[in-house]
Amino acid sequence: MTEPLIFEISRPGRCAASLPECDVRPSALPKDLLRDELPLPEVSELDLVRHYVRLSHLNHAVDTGFYPLGSCTMKYNPKVNETLARLEGFVATHPYQPEWTVQGNLILMYELQECLKEISGFAAVSLQPAAGAHGEFAGMLMVRAYHLDRGDRGRTKVLVPDSAHGTNPASTAMCGFEVVEIRSDERGNVDLEDLKAHCDEHVAGMMLTNPNTLGLFDEHILEIADIVHGCGGLLYGDGANLNAIVGVAKPADLGFDIMHFNLHKTFSTPHGGGGPGAGPVGVTQALAQFLPGPIVVEEESDEDEGPYYSLAMPAKSIGRLKAFYGNFGVLVRAYAYIRHLGASGLRRVAEHAVLNANYLRVRLQDTYPLPYKRTCMHEFVLSGTIPGAEGVRTLDIAKRLMDFGFHPPTIYFPLIVPEALMIEPTETESLETLDAFAGAMLKIAEEARTQPEMLHDAPFTTPLRRLDDVRAAREPKLRWQP
């Protein structure tokens, strides 16, 4: 590694802080808290600043380069939303303050609930869940509560397509349901015959991502909803890919009963590194009473007084899922993003995301196998099995992309595509950036045929070369020890 550890640049006696003389009587620390050996680094302020600035430059970020990471929307998020989320009135609020002192916060939450209802077509929304998978878990709890409330205790199965996000079966199983996998057909849709074969009186519901993880809009979504509803089940929407249809189609109109929103993906908030997020859930009127709470409600008031907002638990709520009221800073960013763009702006986001993805798809599909030859939504999935380069794998392609200055896309997902390369350019990338990425991919394909050993050894320009990914995941060294 080119940058030494801060412990390695440490020199005895140097200090990055200069504290004023203490003007109160010192108080001794308890002896049991004192340590003789505390190997903290000793560096000057300048060395400290330079060290961490250099480290920050070793990271690839959406602010410094293209990030075509499908499935997790590492999109550009307007910096003004960061400023708004840091306004003193928001960050200085204490969650135990009385309602009447935080009316501004509650207005924002209420209006965000209303915005999400309008965008999705659902009757009610709760902002409680902290992330997408948390929203899935909330959704499955509501599915269970709905059936139990009707006295129907025989519904034990949840149907999940083979193209689903891995969190779908996990959320299903955590709620005590049996996971039943449904095949995809030759066009990447849910296989209707397989779906019908598994629909019976034991089906509690189905979890479906639309557009799915192949980047394809299911051509039979209305029929799927009818089949699932026909056997008494509920249709859950994994909203991870809402970015492709926001402002264009409303999930409730497509037949979904429940859906979670990934505010951190669709509606702004930088999410590289894993958080924080927000996964509000929207439901139809029949399920509104089961929403996790509290939710924000507008109370009736006299005409002379302004509206008053308070927190309330739905009548048969599955309960509270998050301490206090969710990740509030993410809610502020989402509200700012939605209000800034408006209805027409949100639609343009979806249209540009789909346009960018299809531009790249067309430029690459004659070189990299495209398993499902259809117009895609905001992402598409290629295979890294390049004809004439049988010894090269998708991992080699991803590693080589780093040498061209691009973050690799998601690889080996979805599982139903051999050597999968999931590419999601997002809506804000320019034509020049898309062309540069396509050019790099085409160059790598040429190298794969003529110089496969180069791809096997890539990357060459990163601070560290080819890492042992498995060992890095299973044996991470997170603490320095002398």
Side-chain angles (χ1 to χ4, degrees):
M1 190 172 183
T2 57
E3 180 63 23
L5 298 175
I6 194 166
F7 296 97
E8 294 170 338
I9 62 175
S10 173
R11 296 293 182 273
R14 293 182 183 172
C15 182
S18 178
L19 300 178
E21 290 291 331
C22 182
D23 58 358
V24 297
R25 180 181 298 175
S27 178
L29 290 172
K31 290 184 178 179
D32 61 330
L33 297 181
L34 295 177
R35 285 174 286 179
D36 294 330
E37 295 296 329
L38 191 61
L40 294 175
E42 297 177 77
V43 293
S44 69
E45 178 183 355
L46 190 56
D47 286 343
L48 182 77
V49 170
R50 286 174 176 171
H51 172 71
Y52 283 107
V53 168
R54 286 194 294 266
L55 281 183
S56 71
H57 289 179
L58 294 178
N59 286 329
H60 188 95
V62 73
D63 286 344
T64 58
F66 185 37
Y67 215 125
L69 188 57
S71 180
C72 214
T73 317
M74 300 301 178
K75 61 197 280 184
Y76 174 77
N77 292 293
K79 295 297 180 282
V80 66
N81 295 346
E82 298 302 305
T83 302
L84 296 175
R86 288 172 172 76
L87 289 176
E88 185 178 359
F90 292 136
V91 297
T93 306
H94 194 284
Y96 280 134
Q97 282 184 231
E99 282 181 359
W100 65 270
T101 68
V102 292
Q103 285 294 296
N105 300 48
L106 294 180
I107 290 172
L108 183 144
M109 295 171 69
Y110 178 82
E111 292 195 0
L112 180 57
Q113 289 174 183
E114 294 299 300
C115 289
L116 296 178
K117 286 163 59 177
E118 175 63 25
I119 289 168
S120 63
F122 288 118
V125 167
S126 170
L127 304 175
Q128 267 270 304
H134 205 197
E136 293 177 22
F137 182 63
M140 287 296 101
L141 288 178
M142 284 189 281
V143 168
R144 188 175 68 180
Y146 169 79
H147 290 303
L148 293 178
D149 186 64
R150 296 168 59 245
D152 190 345
R153 297 179 176 276
R155 297 193 177 270
T156 57
K157 301 190 302 185
V158 170
L159 313 177
V160 180
D162 57 9
S163 63
H165 291 108
T167 50
N168 289 180
S171 300
T172 299
M174 285 181 65
C175 291
F177 292 113
E178 175 192 358
V179 180
V180 178
E181 186 174 280
I182 304 298
R183 291 195 305 266
S184 298
D185 66 17
E186 67 280 359
R187 287 181 57 78
N189 301 309
V190 170
D191 187 310
L192 292 182
E193 295 307 314
D194 197 35
L195 174 63
K196 292 174 184 175
H198 288 91
C199 278
D200 55 29
E201 70 278 15
H202 299 298
V203 169
M206 180 176 188
M207 298 188 80
L208 181 65
T209 309
N210 193 28
N212 63 19
T213 61
L214 296 166
L216 303 174
F217 190 90
D218 200 297
E219 298 164 306
H220 309 300
I221 180 60
L222 297 179
E223 193 170 356
I224 291 170
D226 286 343
I227 294 170
V228 174
H229 291 155
C231 71
L234 298 172
L235 187 59
Y236 181 90
D238 179 336
N241 290 347
L242 183 64
N243 197 46
I245 61 171
V246 63
V248 179
K250 297 185 177 184
D253 294 343
L254 301 178
F256 289 102
D257 301 288
I258 312 170
M259 189 192 78
H260 77 261
F261 306 82
N262 281 13
L263 296 189
H264 49 282
K265 294 171 65 174
T266 310
F267 301 112
S268 185
T269 288
H271 199 51
V281 282
V283 296
T284 59
Q285 189 61 52
L287 292 159
Q289 59 187 332
F290 301 105
L291 278 172
I295 61 175
V296 183
V297 296
E298 181 180 3
E299 297 188 357
E300 294 183 3
S301 59
D302 297 333
E303 291 184 359
D304 296 337
E305 300 180 5
Y308 184 83
Y309 298 89
S310 61
L311 296 160
M313 291 295 285
K316 299 179 180 178
S317 173
I318 59 171
R320 183 188 288 270
L321 294 178
K322 182 80 172 65
F324 303 115
Y325 314 111
N327 286 330
F328 186 73
V330 181
L331 306 184
V332 175
R333 293 179 180 90
Y335 181 72
Y337 186 81
I338 292 170
R339 291 298 302 267
H340 173 71
L341 289 173
S344 61
L346 291 175
R347 183 184 180 97
R348 288 180 63 199
V349 164
E351 291 172 342
H352 285 200
V354 172
L355 177 63
N356 281 1
N358 277 287
Y359 179 78
L360 279 183
R361 174 184 62 81
V362 171
R363 286 214 56 186
L364 298 175
Q365 65 184 7
D366 292 336
T367 303
Y368 291 85
L370 178 69
Y372 302 94
K373 301 186 185 308
R374 291 173 48 189
T375 299
C376 67
M377 292 287 102
H378 66 304
E379 63 189 13
F380 61 104
V381 180
L382 301 170
S383 174
T385 55
I386 305 170
E390 283 68 25
V392 170
R393 300 191 63 209
T394 287
L395 180 64
D396 302 319
I397 297 167
K399 296 295 185 184
R400 183 63 176 141
L401 262 174
M402 296 180 189
D403 291 331
F404 289 86
F406 298 112
H407 193 286
T410 295
I411 59 175
Y412 298 109
F413 182 80
L415 301 178
I416 59 175
V417 175
E419 298 290 322
L421 274 161
M422 177 194 284
I423 298 171
E424 179 180 4
T426 77
E427 67 277 4
T428 47
E429 298 297 343
S430 68
L431 179 62
E432 291 75 17
T433 299
L434 298 180
D435 279 337
F437 178 76
M441 289 289 288
L442 296 175
K443 174 67 175 175
I444 291 171
E446 178 185 338
E447 292 174 348
R449 297 190 187 94
T450 58
Q451 309 173 70
E453 66 284 352
M454 174 183 285
L455 270 66
H456 294 153
D457 294 336
F460 299 95
T461 61
T462 52
L464 293 178
R465 298 287 301 279
R466 182 76 66 106
L467 298 174
D468 184 335
D469 296 335
V470 175
R471 187 181 177 193
R474 294 182 177 178
E475 301 176 30
K477 291 184 178 179
L478 305 178
R479 178 188 173 200
W480 176 81
Q481 290 180 308

